[in-house]
Amino acid sequence: MQSEPVAVVVGGRAEAVDDDWGRETAVIRLDSGRFGPEALYGLADFSHLEVVYHFDRVPVEKIETGARHPRGNADWPLVGIFAQRGKNRPNRLGVSRCRILKVDGLDVHVEGLDAVDGTPVLDLKPYMAEFGPRGALRQPEWATALMRDYY
């Protein structure tokens, strides 16, 4: 499987710091060699966007395939890489939902994207309520504590 970035993150944070992403603003700039503005027609009618991106700054030797304590916090349980959302994932893929501020040509201005400046973007999808979870949600207490200040 191969994929090419469709866009790149421009602006926002230069480094991946774990918390306070909610007020971050950035631009997702489509690759002008592959896309024209028509690829974004209608996107501004949505309030939120799902972004699939590549954690390109995670070195291969840092990839996790087993279990670890989230954020290295020994007070939290040892959990498998697929039971957490850390960046050191086997395929180094990130998924984020953020608010669309505006669409301008090839640029999507967003707020709350937890990807850093220069991050390759693999796909964009408008967020639709019907794709949200059905039924009651459940998550462990450590996950709620971890996310308390994330956004």
Side-chain angles (χ1 to χ4, degrees):
M1 181 188 86
Q2 291 186 348
S3 60
E4 288 183 48
V6 298
V8 66
V9 175
V10 177
R13 289 189 187 175
E15 294 184 34
V17 179
D18 282 330
D19 290 322
D20 298 320
W21 288 98
R23 291 184 302 266
E24 288 294 328
T25 60
V27 172
I28 299 170
R29 181 162 294 147
L30 283 186
D31 178 348
S32 63
R34 295 175 57 203
F35 304 98
E38 66 277 3
L40 298 175
Y41 285 3
L43 187 61
D45 294 334
F46 292 88
S47 65
H48 288 78
L49 181 67
E50 289 185 304
V51 182
V52 180
Y53 56 91
H54 185 244
F55 288 119
D56 64 316
R57 292 179 185 101
V58 173
V60 172
E61 63 271 10
K62 296 279 187 174
I63 290 174
E64 299 279 346
T65 58
R68 68 179 183 134
H69 297 282
R71 291 194 184 176
N73 185 340
D75 291 337
W76 291 337
L78 191 64
V79 294
I81 192 63
F82 298 121
Q84 53 187 290
R85 295 183 62 103
K87 65 184 176 294
N88 298 14
R89 316 186 65 69
N91 284 320
R92 297 181 290 173
L93 293 179
V95 177
S96 186
R97 290 181 185 95
C98 55
R99 179 177 304 281
I100 298 171
L101 300 175
K102 72 177 180 176
V103 177
D104 181 23
L106 296 176
D107 291 348
V108 183
H109 297 255
V110 297
E111 179 180 62
L113 175 64
D114 59 347
V116 297
D117 183 42
T119 296
V121 174
L122 302 174
D123 203 0
L124 302 173
K125 297 181 182 213
Y127 185 78
M128 299 177 187
E130 293 78 10
F131 279 98
R134 290 170 284 200
L137 291 175
R138 176 180 82 240
Q139 69 184 35
E141 188 177 310
W142 67 264
T144 301
L146 182 144
M147 294 303 295
R148 188 165 288 123
D149 297 317
Y150 194 80
Y151 287 107

